[in-house]
Amino acid sequence: MKEARNPYRDRIAALTTKHGKERAIARPLRVALGLAITVEKKIDTDLLGTFTGEIERVGTPREIAIRKARLGMKSSGLPLGLANEGSFGPHPAISWFVPSDHEMLVFIDDELDIIVVESCLSGVTNYGYQSAQSLGDLECFLRQADFPSHALVVRPNDGLRQGWVFKGVMDIDTLEEAVKRCSAASSDGLAYVGTDMRAHVNPTRRKIIRHTACRLARRLASSCPSCGIPGWGWIQSEPGLPCEACHAPTEVIQQEIFGCARCRYLEAKPRADGREYAEPGQCPYCNP
Ligand SMILES: [Zn+2]
Ligand SMILES: [Zn+2]
């Protein structure tokens, strides 16, 4: 990896967001690259789908983020664009019971014809939901959800209904009223109360987005050793670290693969921690 000549100093990229994501994304890019952000706010990103489910999001997070970034590039006329997409659910690596926030940040450069994607999977999130008949059922949940510094969404528990979603709920009186009305309107007498994951009302999510933006900035500052295009970085981890006792390959990561945003050049690097063997306890033969 060598430092790029930094083609993004004093350039401007369009960020498509209506939920204040520039608060998390602009600074890392300005500090690391000298790249400025202009925010395309007028674009209704909800048309690409909403978190609360009124409009279904179609496509992978990567596809949605690319579509979003292109909307901002089109409306601003800029060849550089950015967009973020988050997904929330059980943590795939830790446990079904641990919620996770997977943030993806896409950067498009139409002049160099590259799409650079950076992501971050974090177990640090307030993501969650609960059904409730009244405020009294929510004591524990409100603590986990970091209410009221983080907003909530309330709707009838039996499903989505036009005009029946209370978003951005950040005070106890509004919450009580929303729970009362939604539970009364629901066939099962319950209100659905969930965390509002929109970035402008969720400081914890903004932190993860900022971390992802730092990673993206680092990647854009690194150029491909073969073609010199920016966006060089980690692509995947490969298992196969040999067992210390029998030398058979294990599922433990053996090397990290780095790749280019444009050409097919790849480099395999050994583990950063210098470990050369897996424990026999991690071996399918020694410890079946
Ligand atoms: Zn390359
Ligand atoms: Zn073994």
Side-chain angles (χ1 to χ4, degrees), residues 29 126 141 287:
L29 295 174
N126 68 331
F141 175 77
N287 186 25

Side-chain angles (χ1 to χ4, degrees), residues 25-257:
I25 293 171
R27 195 163 185 277
L29 295 174
R30 192 180 64 235
V31 170
L33 301 165
L35 174 69
I37 296 294
T38 172
V39 179
E40 292 300 307
K41 274 185 191 148
K42 273 176 239 149
I43 298 161
D44 190 359
T45 52
D46 283 353
L47 294 175
L48 296 170
T50 60
F51 283 126
T52 32
E54 301 100 319
I55 303 170
E56 198 195 342
R57 282 165 127 75
V58 182
T60 64
R62 188 179 192 273
E63 288 163 354
I64 295 167
I66 290 172
R67 235 178 287 152
K68 216 189 276 184
R70 290 233 173 265
L71 289 176
M73 291 163 76
K74 198 174 168 202
S75 92
S76 64
L78 290 168
L80 306 178
L82 277 159
N84 158 258
E85 179 73 5
S87 21
F88 313 94
H91 197 297
I94 302 176
S95 152
W96 207 86
F97 300 103
V98 176
S100 71
D101 173 1
H102 187 214
E103 294 296 338
M104 181 168 284
L105 200 50
V106 161
F107 177 82
I108 304 178
D109 180 339
D110 270 349
E111 286 172 350
L112 291 176
D113 193 23
I114 52 171
I115 296 178
V116 179
V117 181
E118 192 57 85
S119 65
C120 176
L121 175 67
S122 175
V124 180
T125 177
N126 68 331
Y127 175 73
Y129 49 86
Q130 197 184 309
S131 51
Q133 203 166 24
S134 69
L135 218 47
D137 300 338
L138 292 168
E139 205 178 312
C140 207
F141 175 77
L142 293 184
R143 221 171 307 127
Q144 281 166 14
D146 253 326
F147 179 84
S149 65
H150 292 62
L152 297 172
V153 172
V154 186
R155 64 163 167 83
N157 192 49
D158 61 1
L160 285 165
R161 231 169 297 158
Q162 193 79 45
W164 273 96
V165 184
F166 296 80
K167 292 188 206 182
V169 176
M170 289 185 95
D171 70 88
I172 198 83
D173 294 338
T174 311
L175 177 65
E176 186 170 27
E177 180 66 20
V179 170
K180 207 160 104 188
R181 285 170 61 180
C182 290
S183 56
S186 185
S187 57
D188 59 6
L190 296 169
Y192 165 102
V193 184
T195 47
D196 191 332
M197 300 312 291
R198 293 174 302 161
H200 65 303
V201 288
N202 195 314
T204 298
R205 182 172 174 221
R206 281 205 300 276
K207 259 185 231 166
I208 309 300
I209 296 174
R210 186 175 299 121
H211 181 68
T212 316
C214 290
R215 283 186 172 186
L216 177 73
R218 210 177 309 142
R219 191 180 281 259
L220 290 173
S222 310
S223 60
C224 171
S226 175
C227 74
I229 288 291
W232 173 258
W234 179 88
I235 305 259
Q236 63 182 53
S237 303
E238 268 185 4
L241 199 68
C243 164
E244 192 161 23
C246 75
H247 289 208
T250 65
E251 285 301 305
V252 182
I253 290 165
Q254 183 175 32
Q255 52 185 12
E256 308 287 355
I257 310 295

